[in-house]
Every structure is written in structure tokens, then in C-alpha cells.
Amino acid sequence: MIPLILVTNDDGVHSHGITALQNAMAEVGDVYVVAPDRERSAVGHALTLHRPLKAEELRDRVFSVNGTPTDCVALGIHKILPRKPDLIASGINKGSNLGDDITYSGTVSAAMEGTLLGVSSFAISMAGDKPFMFDSALPFAKRIAGYILQKKLQSDILLNINVPNIPLDQIKGVSFTRQGKRVYDNAIQELLSPSGEQYYWIGGGKPVWGQSEANDIQAVMNGYVSVTPLHLDLTSYSSIEDLRNSWQD
Ligand code: MN
């Protein structure tokens, strides 16, 4: 049977990144696109509860939803696709989803939602700035999709892929990594409006990355495609015992 693939993102249904991913996934299976009607980057795992959602079919099997990436995955799986998909591909995001930043990411959250709903999922992002070389990511997106469909992932695992934003022939290969650490430095800019009012702008500074060990950040900086397996279980297992041992009754 031909695999059924749901493609979504957080940059919106009109982003070139999602069109590139749609075309790549079309070589692997039957593709439906269900994506936000506008950019919803950094909405995390938000779900829309307090207003109605609409899904508009823009073209054959391409749906625009006035909601978040997580809304799109839920609607796609439960209402729009003809059956439960075999794979969810989220991206290709304009910008990296590395280290601690993945906790804000709509791109990664869409893959998390897929995993929660029992569908193998991956998120894929271009690590770098405009102009984005989505073509460099396509062979890796196809390979990852093929791998997941063939080998399957553990039920609570999703893959977070970051592709260096460089020409394909300069990419050195694939590196399997752990999630890195972002060092927050000047993350909030304090500015004055023309009328003299103070205001704040989050995310104005350049990220500073921790360099302590081999991780997703170092992999892309060294020219490798980073593949980080993430799990939904956020429990710190070692801390359970620490807490028990140090708890004073
Ligand atoms: Mn985005």
C-alpha cells in the first residue's frame, strides 16, 4: 500500500519550505498538506480551544487552517485525511530548531502532536539565515521518510532534523546527535518608541550556543545534517531518586 503522508509546518501554507517538503514527500507516498494560513512560528504546542477552526482546500489535497501547527495535525488526522497517516513531516522551517529552542518551536510541536496521536513524525529545519537552500534538505527528507516508514520509530520518539543552510555538495553527511544547550545572552532588547515609551522586543539578539560537547548545534556548524531523536517523556529519571532521598518528612 502506498504510504499516506501528512505535511505541515509553522511558517504557513504559502511558505516555499512546505512546498519543497510536499514535493519531496510526493516521491515517497500520497501527500496531504494541512498547514496554518499564516506564519505561526514560536507558538510551541499551542492548541486553539476558544474559537472555531476552518479548513479551506486551496488546491487538491492542500488545506489552509486558521490555527496552529498542532491544530493542523489534529484536524488532519481526525477530519481531513481519508485515514490515519503513516508519517507526518513538519517543515521545512525557515531557521534552525536546535538546542533548547525546540521548546518554543511550532515545527517540532507539530511532530510531537503526531507522535502523541500515534503517527511516526519528523521535523525538518534549515539551520541558517535567508536565502534558504531548501533543495539541500530534500535528499535527507526523502531518506528520513523512507527510513521511518521502513524501520518504524519507537512509539514515543520523533526525529528533529536540522540541515545546514549550505549547498548540497558542501554537506558532509548525517550526524546523530543529542539536544544542545542555548546560552541566553541579550535575548530581550529594550527600546524606546518615537513618543518616548519603553518597549521590549524578544529575540533580537544572535543566539549564543553552548560548546561543551557534541550536540545538534555543533553538528550543523560543522556542516552535518543533525538528526536528534526526541522523546515526549520529559521525566528526569535520575532526579526521582534524588528527590526521594533528599525529601525530609
Ligand atoms: Mn517557523
Side-chain angles (χ1 to χ4, degrees), residues 14-15 33 40-41 71 86 100-101 105 107 117 123 131 136 145 151 178 183 187 189 205 212:
H14 302 293
S15 168
V33 173
R40 303 301 302 266
S41 292
D71 295 331
D86 302 295
D100 301 313
D101 281 356
S105 171
T107 309
L117 297 176
S136 298
K151 309 265 187 189
R178 53 161 292 164
V183 181
Q189 311 287 310
S212 54

Side-chain angles (χ1 to χ4, degrees), residues 207-237:
V208 180
W209 304 108
Q211 300 281 335
S212 54
E213 55 195 306
N215 58 38
D216 53 359
I217 296 148
Q218 288 200 318
V220 296
M221 287 198 320
N222 291 332
Y224 288 87
V225 174
S226 167
V227 178
T228 309
L230 302 176
H231 55 82
L232 296 172
D233 182 350
L234 301 178
T235 311
S236 167
Y237 286 93

